[in-house]
Amino acid sequence: MLATDISLQMFSLATNRAIAEHLEGIIDFKEGDAATIDLPELSFYSALSRLGLMFLGDLDSGLVNINISLVNGGRFATSVWATSEKVPQLALAMNIVRKELNISSPPPLRTPRPFCLADENILKSLLSDVNSKS
């Protein structure tokens, strides 16, 4: 099993927790971004991304990298933030920051941010494109 994260703090917490739970040798840890991390091809039966895809700078490369690491028939599951209306606590904080920084226009499409993959049709299209390229 391989666990990855770009955050050194999260990486450290996960490593310490695995040690505390006596999981050394069961879980390997690798720091890195899904788009650039060196993943072995055709090695995993499943991959999981929990609240990470929407923050990838190069989403296409990240999805391709994940996809090529899966064995034939392997599965990929992901969770992303829903629309701002469904996550008001995060939307409120972001709106306050935007107001304080005097940012009136939304960021360009495909800019990494919490709600950029909230539209399930966009996410389905991205995943479908990756599968058709492999």
Side-chain angles (χ1 to χ4, degrees):
M1 183 182 297
L2 175 66
T4 67
D5 204 298
I6 62 168
S7 166
L8 187 55
Q9 292 85 358
M10 290 298 289
F11 190 77
S12 178
L13 285 169
T15 303
N16 290 336
R17 185 166 182 188
I19 291 168
E21 297 291 331
H22 307 289
L23 298 173
E24 308 93 329
I26 296 172
I27 302 175
D28 293 321
F29 293 91
K30 199 174 209 181
E31 185 182 355
D33 180 304
T36 59
I37 196 168
D38 184 28
L39 295 173
E41 290 186 25
L42 301 170
S43 296
F44 302 105
Y45 290 96
S46 61
L48 171 66
S49 173
R50 183 176 167 263
L51 302 175
L53 285 186
M54 61 276 202
F55 298 113
L56 283 178
D58 186 350
L59 183 56
D60 293 331
S61 293
L63 290 172
V64 167
N65 198 24
I66 292 166
N67 198 47
I68 63 173
S69 75
L70 294 171
V71 298
N72 291 331
R75 300 290 184 154
F76 174 58
T78 186
S79 64
V80 297
W81 285 106
T83 60
S84 59
E85 296 80 26
K86 292 182 179 179
V87 192
Q89 67 277 23
L90 180 58
L92 176 63
M94 291 177 57
N95 288 338
I96 290 170
V97 169
R98 292 183 66 188
K99 182 179 177 184
E100 290 299 315
L101 295 176
N102 200 25
I103 300 171
S104 58
S105 60
L109 290 176
R110 305 279 317 241
T111 299
R113 61 189 192 284
F115 306 120
C116 70
L117 296 176
D119 181 336
E120 68 183 74
N121 292 321
I122 291 173
L123 187 55
K124 284 180 183 178
S125 176
L126 287 166
L127 295 171
S128 177
D129 288 350
V130 167
N131 286 328
S132 67
K133 291 177 186 174
S134 300

